[in-house]
Amino acid sequence: MASQVATPTPTGATGNRGRRGNRGRGRGGRQTGPKHTDTNSVSEPKESPSPTGEKKEETKAEISTTDADEVDICWICAEPVKYYSVSQCNHRTCHVCGLRLRALYKKLECTFCKEPQPSAIFTTSPDAPWSSFTPEMLPYKDAKLAISFETQEMMEDSLILLRFNCPESSCDYIANGWSDLKLHTRATHGKLMCDLCIRHKKIFAHEHALYQPSQLAWHLPSIQKSHRSAPPKEQIEGGVHPLCEFCRDCFFGDDELYSHMRENHEECFICKRNEVKDKYFRNYDALENHFTQAHYACQQPSCLVRKFVVFGSSMDLKAHMVEEHGADMTAKDKKDARRIQAEFEFEEVGGPGRRGRRDRGDREREREPPPQPVPSRPANAGARRREAFSGNLTVDTTPISTSRQQSRQGSPSPSASNVNPAILERHTAFLARVSSLAPNPNGAVPAMKAAVRSYRANESAARDLILTIWNILDHNLEDTASLVNALVDLLDDEEKKNDLLKAWNGFKVEVCVAKLVFMHVIRYSIFIATKRVPFTHTGVYRL
C-alpha cells in the first residue's frame, strides 16, 4: 500500500476520531460523533412518537424490512451502497470500491467502460448526472486522489479507510505506519501480520488477517515450525504462500514463484520438450549431473565448457560427434556412428478368431516333413548340393525359378534329379553369399529360405521379402541391393521379377530420404542446443 493517508484541502482532517461501522467489510461510517441522517442508512436506530407522547425506538429488523427494496447494491462488491462514486462517464460504484481503485490499485479509468477518469465525485444521489454537479455543491476535495465530496462528514468517512487501522474488530487504534501497527497487534492482541500480504495485497489496513504465532508458521512455510505444533484443523485465512525449496523463501503466489525459478534456477530443456513440466534444479552442476544420468551429453572438453550440449537420443549424439568431432575419430568409429539402427516391429493382424494367409502358411509348414539328413559321404559334390537344396530351401524340390503358374496349378514337382544342375549351382551360390554377408549365418539362411518360399507361393509381398533381407543383413543397404539383384536373376517369372524390382526401388528411396531427413533433424537439434544461453546455478526440484 503505497499511500495510506490523504490530506483534505478544506478544514483539517480529524485525527484519531471514531471508527467505522461494519468495519470488517470496509463500508465506512463512524461509531461516535454526530449521527449521519442519510436516508439510505439502516444502521442507526430511529425514534417515533408513541400514542401516549413517548418515543419508541424501532428495531433494526423493522427498518431493514421496510427499506430493503430501497437499498442499492454495488455491482462490484455486492454490498449495500452508502455513498456513490460517480465518474465523468456517469457510471456508478460504491465509494469503497471507487476509493480502492484510485488509492490502492492506482487505476484512474472507469472499471465499467475503461475510459480514463481524472477525477471522481462521492455523492448520496443515486442518479444525478456528472454535469449537474457544480463547484458550490462540492466544497470538499482531496487533491491527491482527485475526489470531490458533498459534505465534510462524507470526506472523513471515506478517507479514514486509508489510515492504518487495527484489524481487530473491537479495537479503535490507528497506527502511524505498518511497523507501528505490527507492534500494536503483537503487544496488545498477541497476534501477527504477514509481511507478504502487506506488500502484495491491495486491501485496506483493517482488512488484513491477524494470525496466532503457530498459525503464521503454517501460512508462511519459510518460518521454522516447532516440532510440537500440529497443523490447524481449519483452513488458514489467506491460504499458504508457495515456498522455494532451494532458497527457503516464500512468495506471494505461483506467478511470483515461477518467475523466481526461471531467473534463479535451472530447467532441463529436453525434459520440457518431452512435456515434463515444473522440474527444476538448484544450479547448473545439478543440471549437468541430470544430463549425464538421464540424457546423452557430449563429454568432449570443448562441449563441456560450452554447456548445454546434450541430446535426447544416442543417434543425435552420434550425429553430433561425426559433425563436430569427426577429425578426432577413427574410421571405424565414424562408420559405427553413421550406421542407423532401425528396428522394425510387426503387429498381428486380426483377433484370435481370424487367421490370415501368413497363419495358413505356418500351418502348412507345420505339416511339412522334416528335412532329409545329408549323407556323410555323398557320391559326388553335385548330389550333395542337390540334396541340401531340395531338403532345406523349398517345400518340394522346385527351384526358385519355377513359374508361379505351375505352383498355382498344384502339379507335382519334379524331382531333384530332373532339375537343371546349372540352376542348382546358382541357388547354392546364392545361399553361400547370404551366409557370407549376414552377421548371423546360422539364422540368416533358414530365414531367407522361408521368405523366398513364402514369396514364391504368393503368401507374402515383395516388400516383405526385401524387409527380411534388410534385417538379415543388419540394415546394410549395399549388401541388400546385391542380394536383391541376385535373387531377381534366379526368378524366371517375369511378373515376380518386376514386382520385386519395383518394391526395391521404392524401398531404396524411402531409406535414402529417411537418412537425409534424420541428418537435417540432427543438425537443427544441435543448432538449437548450442544457441541456448547458460545459467549458473544446482539440485532437483519439482513443483
Side-chain angles (χ1 to χ4, degrees):
M1 191 179 301
S3 175
Q4 288 289 330
V5 181
T7 304
T9 53
T11 58
T14 59
N16 291 349
R17 298 192 62 173
R19 298 305 309 277
R20 306 152 312 285
N22 195 9
R23 182 192 34 197
R25 296 181 180 178
R27 308 310 306 167
R30 295 172 298 171
Q31 293 179 346
T32 61
K35 296 180 181 179
H36 180 60
T37 58
D38 184 11
T39 57
N40 292 330
S41 176
V42 298
S43 60
E44 297 293 340
K46 298 181 180 179
E47 294 184 355
S48 58
S50 63
T52 59
E54 299 178 357
K55 293 184 178 181
K56 181 179 180 181
E57 183 177 316
E58 297 181 359
T59 61
K60 296 181 180 179
E62 294 174 351
I63 298 175
S64 61
T65 302
T66 57
D67 298 342
D69 297 336
E70 300 178 2
V71 177
D72 288 341
I73 301 299
C74 177
W75 63 276
I76 295 180
C77 62
E79 294 287 346
V81 178
K82 183 177 182 180
Y83 306 129
Y84 294 91
S85 173
V86 185
S87 54
Q88 196 168 0
C89 59
N90 288 320
H91 291 137
R92 277 173 162 77
T93 65
C94 70
H95 75 292
V96 178
C97 291
L99 189 65
R100 191 190 307 274
L101 290 171
R102 301 182 75 87
L104 303 184
Y105 287 91
K106 309 299 181 183
K107 292 185 177 180
L108 301 182
E109 65 269 10
C110 174
T111 186
F112 187 85
C113 64
K114 306 304 180 183
E115 290 294 330
Q117 306 298 331
S119 60
I121 296 175
F122 283 9
T123 178
T124 57
S125 175
D127 52 8
W130 171 276
S131 58
S132 64
F133 291 96
T134 61
E136 293 78 13
M137 299 171 60
L138 305 169
Y140 302 96
K141 182 178 181 180
D142 183 87
K144 187 174 183 179
L145 298 176
I147 300 176
S148 301
F149 306 90
E150 289 182 331
T151 63
Q152 181 180 0
E153 184 178 4
M154 183 187 301
M155 181 179 65
E156 293 175 358
D157 286 348
S158 301
L159 298 183
I160 199 172
L161 296 174
L162 299 178
R163 298 186 181 275
F164 296 93
N165 306 302
C166 178
E168 188 67 29
S169 59
S170 60
C171 181
D172 291 337
Y173 180 78
I174 299 178
N176 295 324
W178 287 116
S179 299
D180 184 23
L181 183 60
K182 289 190 292 185
L183 289 174
H184 164 76
T185 57
R186 184 169 186 174
T188 306
H189 308 293
K191 296 181 180 180
L192 305 175
M193 300 182 68
C194 175
D195 291 331
L196 273 180
C197 294
I198 291 175
R199 288 198 301 266
H200 293 278
K201 276 190 175 181
K202 304 298 182 181
I203 58 177
F204 299 114
H206 67 274
E207 294 177 331
H208 280 278
L210 294 179
Y211 302 94
Q212 296 290 344
S214 59
Q215 291 180 335
L216 186 62
W218 291 98
H219 177 67
L220 280 175
S222 58
I223 300 177
Q224 188 175 3
K225 304 180 183 66
S226 174
H227 296 287
R228 297 182 180 180
S229 61
K233 298 180 180 180
E234 299 180 357
Q235 185 176 1
I236 301 176
E237 184 177 357
V240 178
H241 293 296
L243 174 71
C244 174
E245 297 289 348
F246 300 141
C247 306
R248 302 300 302 176
D249 290 335
C250 281
F251 297 86
F252 180 69
D254 292 336
D255 294 340
E256 290 77 11
L257 176 61
Y258 178 76
S259 300
H260 167 78
M261 300 302 295
R262 293 273 297 176
E263 295 174 1
N264 297 278
H265 302 292
E266 299 292 341
E267 188 176 11
C268 176
F269 67 94
I270 296 180
C271 292
K272 188 175 181 180
R273 186 190 306 160
N274 296 332
E275 299 183 356
V276 179
K277 299 179 180 179
D278 301 331
K279 185 177 182 181
Y280 295 91
F281 303 85
R282 183 183 296 274
N283 51 28
Y284 185 78
D285 293 337
L287 180 60
E288 188 176 32
N289 187 32
H290 167 75
F291 284 157
T292 304
Q293 295 179 358
H295 304 299
Y296 299 87
C298 181
Q299 300 299 328
Q300 296 295 326
S302 59
C303 291
L304 292 176
V305 173
R306 288 164 55 189
K307 298 183 178 180
F308 292 99
V309 184
V310 60
F311 306 93
S313 65
S314 59
M315 299 175 65
D316 298 344
L317 179 59
K318 289 181 180 180
H320 163 77
M321 295 296 296
V322 172
E323 186 171 353
E324 297 290 335
H325 311 290
D328 301 331
M329 300 174 62
T330 62
K332 183 178 182 301
D333 293 338
K334 288 183 180 180
K335 183 177 180 181
D336 294 340
R338 289 194 179 104
R339 176 169 294 182
I340 301 176
Q341 301 294 336
E343 297 180 359
F344 297 93
E345 296 182 359
F346 300 93
E347 298 180 356
E348 273 309 316
V349 179
R354 299 178 58 185
R355 300 181 68 87
R357 291 185 300 176
R358 190 173 301 177
D359 296 325
R360 291 196 300 270
D362 294 339
R363 292 199 302 270
E364 292 177 0
R365 284 191 289 274
E366 289 175 0
R367 293 195 295 266
E368 295 174 2
Q372 298 295 330
V374 180
S376 58
R377 293 182 181 179
N380 51 60
R384 180 172 65 250
R385 287 194 298 269
R386 286 194 297 270
E387 291 176 1
F389 180 81
S390 63
N392 295 328
L393 180 59
T394 60
V395 178
D396 48 25
T397 57
T398 306
I400 297 176
S401 58
T402 305
S403 64
R404 182 176 56 180
Q405 289 80 3
Q406 183 178 357
S407 60
R408 281 181 178 178
Q409 295 172 358
S411 58
S413 301
S415 61
S417 59
N418 297 330
V419 179
N420 189 346
I423 297 177
L424 294 178
E425 189 73 23
R426 292 167 57 192
H427 291 177
T428 305
F430 175 78
L431 294 178
R433 183 173 179 79
V434 172
S435 300
S436 62
L437 294 178
N440 183 15
N442 296 330
V445 173
M448 178 63 72
K449 292 177 182 179
V452 172
R453 180 172 59 246
S454 178
Y455 177 64
R456 196 169 54 80
N458 295 326
E459 296 175 355
S460 63
R463 185 178 178 83
D464 296 334
L465 178 59
I466 294 174
L467 288 176
T468 301
I469 300 175
W470 172 262
N471 292 328
I472 288 174
L473 299 182
D474 197 15
H475 307 160
N476 190 310
L477 190 62
E478 296 181 359
D479 295 344
T480 304
S482 64
L483 284 186
V484 170
N485 292 329
L487 188 58
V488 169
D489 295 337
L490 292 178
L491 297 175
D492 59 351
D493 188 344
E494 294 297 331
E495 185 177 353
K496 283 194 172 293
K497 284 184 177 182
N498 294 332
D499 291 344
L500 189 60
L501 289 175
K502 290 180 181 179
W504 167 247
N505 291 331
F507 181 82
K508 181 171 57 176
V509 171
E510 290 178 7
V511 172
C512 295
V513 170
K515 287 185 177 181
L516 184 61
V517 171
F518 172 76
M519 293 304 298
H520 280 291
V521 171
I522 294 304
R523 292 177 180 176
Y524 180 75
S525 301
I526 295 172
F527 173 79
I528 294 299
T530 54
K531 290 298 180 181
R532 180 177 170 88
V533 180
F535 293 98
T536 57
H537 301 276
T538 305
V540 177
Y541 174 57
R542 185 181 295 273
L543 285 178

